[in-house]
Every structure is written in structure tokens, then in C-alpha cells.
Amino acid sequence: MKLPQVLAFDVFGTVVDWHGSIAREVDAMGLGVDGDEFALAWRAGYQPAMQRVRSGELGWTLIDDLHRMILDDLLRRFGIHHLDEAARQHLNRAWHRLDPWPDSVAGLTRLKSRYMICSLSNGNLGLLAAMAKRAGLPWDCILSAEVFRAYKPDPATYLGVAKVFGVAPQEVMLVAAHHDDLAAARACGLRTAYVERPLEFGPRHPKDVSPQPGCDVHATDLVALADLLRC
């Protein structure tokens, strides 16, 4: 296999543990709801909210603002009415404080020694920068849907990475824990690497991480990916 020049990483679920992080914060706030259920419900609003932007129903809207729209609706649905504006803002910014998976920093550091590494996330730039600072994610470059004003799986996001780095699409490899993201990247000519994250939705909801056709690489985690990509 000819090796790529640039590795672009999905972030939520692939590099960081959104479910565990959100569930812990919700439980710590003592809101009287199950953190696992609240985290899943918050994430379930993610794709529908982005679809409102993709369809033109909403103008360009940052993920921080979409997360807040979903949160306000969830607080009503879960019967949580006592949080003031400061508490709502703090809870919404929990997405800036997501913990990396245990292998992420070590794996990214090894991969960075040989490749240009960047994020390619629907998260906005401020969110991704705060997350990287807190978690020690060693990106060479932070790329976001915000840069391209388009949410994945819009081709502008995947092809935008190649344009930023001045390389051909086939010299970029998308690394993700989501087969739909990877399939969209392949349709744009990118190489793809699947990373297993069986606990993305928490230990009560294990995910099928079986290999699927099409990916160039299938890795159990980011350290294993570094092994496979000769770092």
C-alpha cells in the first residue's frame, strides 16, 4: 500500500470519548437524570440539527450553537427547569472538555512523527482548539467544517483537506470510527482507515466494529494504526 501524506481525523468518537465524558458531567451536576440516557439523547440531535443547516432551513450555524439548541430542548424534555443561563452555558461547553480515548495522545504523537496530522470534524474551531489544549491532542493543523462552511459528508470537507495541504485527494487518509464518514471520503478519492471504538455509545450499548469492505486499513486503536502505518 502506498502511504498517504496527510492523515485527517474524525474527532467525536474516534479520538475523544464523547459519551463517557458527557455522561460523567451530567451525573456530576446532580440533575436527577441518567447521564447515559442524556448523553445519548444529546448526541441523537446532532445529525438532525446539521441537516437543518445542510437543507438551508438554517443558515450557517456553528456546532456550539446547534448543541445549545438541542440542549435547551432536552432540558424541557427531561423536566430540568432550574438551570440558569450560566449553568446552561457551562453544560453546553462540556463538548469542549471531552476526554481522549486512552490510546489517542500516544497514537497521534507517533503518527505525527511521520505524517501531517489534522482534525476534520464538524465541531467548530473554538471547540476543537479548547479540546486539543485540554486533552493534549498534538494536531499539526485544526480543520473543521467551519473552515469550509459545510458539514460532513459534504465533499467540500474532504476535498478541502487536500486543498489546504496542496496534495491530491488520494494522498489524504481519513481516520474515523464511522463507516458512513469513511464511505463519503472514499467517494471523494481519499484513502480510509477504520478505528474500532466499541464503547463509543457507552458500555451499555456496545457497537459492532466488524471490518467492512472498502477501507485501506482496519485498526483496533490509534496505537495499532501507528504500527500499521509504520510509525
Side-chain angles (χ1 to χ4, degrees):
M1 179 184 75
K2 184 179 178 182
L3 296 175
Q5 293 192 40
V6 179
L7 303 180
F9 291 78
D10 171 69
V11 176
F12 297 123
T14 301
V15 177
V16 296
D17 175 13
W18 62 264
H19 177 274
S21 303
I22 296 296
R24 283 191 293 274
E25 291 226 13
V26 170
D27 286 337
M29 289 181 72
L31 299 180
V33 299
D34 183 274
D36 171 81
E37 292 181 10
F38 197 92
L40 291 174
W42 204 349
R43 184 66 171 179
Y46 179 69
Q47 286 295 339
M50 287 189 295
Q51 185 55 36
R52 294 178 65 190
V53 177
R54 295 187 192 107
S55 71
E57 178 188 346
L58 290 177
W60 177 252
T61 308
L62 299 181
I63 285 294
D64 270 342
D65 297 323
L66 294 179
H67 276 153
R68 177 58 190 269
M69 291 166 51
I70 302 164
L71 174 61
D72 286 341
D73 180 62
L74 279 185
L75 292 175
R76 288 190 293 270
R77 284 169 46 195
F78 279 79
I80 302 168
H81 305 294
H82 66 281
L83 294 187
D84 61 16
E85 178 59 22
R88 288 171 183 244
Q89 289 184 17
H90 175 77
L91 180 54
N92 197 54
R93 290 178 72 86
W95 293 93
H96 293 216
R97 302 186 292 271
L98 303 182
D99 294 328
W101 294 109
D103 57 276
S104 289
V105 173
L108 289 174
T109 300
R110 283 180 56 188
L111 291 161
K112 179 185 172 81
S113 70
R114 179 163 189 164
Y115 302 96
M116 194 73 76
I117 66 169
C118 69
S119 61
L120 182 61
S121 172
N122 285 329
N124 47 283
L125 290 168
L127 181 159
L128 294 169
M131 178 194 296
K133 187 76 169 178
R134 176 181 177 275
L137 305 176
W139 304 123
D140 290 309
C141 178
I142 295 175
L143 292 180
S144 155
E146 183 181 355
V147 174
F148 310 112
R149 295 183 71 84
Y151 283 123
K152 293 189 292 181
D154 192 303
T157 58
Y158 307 110
L159 296 175
V161 177
K163 185 174 181 181
V164 165
F165 289 101
V167 299
Q170 61 267 28
E171 295 177 297
V172 178
M173 175 176 279
L174 180 71
V175 181
H178 311 111
H179 286 295
D180 54 350
D181 196 4
L182 295 168
R186 282 195 297 276
C188 293
L190 275 66
R191 313 281 285 286
T192 54
Y194 180 77
V195 177
E196 296 181 4
R197 295 300 186 197
L199 300 182
E200 178 180 359
F201 298 96
R204 283 152 56 178
H205 315 276
K207 187 172 80 169
D208 180 8
V209 294
S210 303
Q212 292 189 15
C215 284
D216 296 282
V217 178
H218 182 107
T220 53
D221 61 23
L222 294 185
V223 170
L225 181 65
D227 290 337
L228 292 168
L229 295 183
R230 307 174 194 171
C231 297

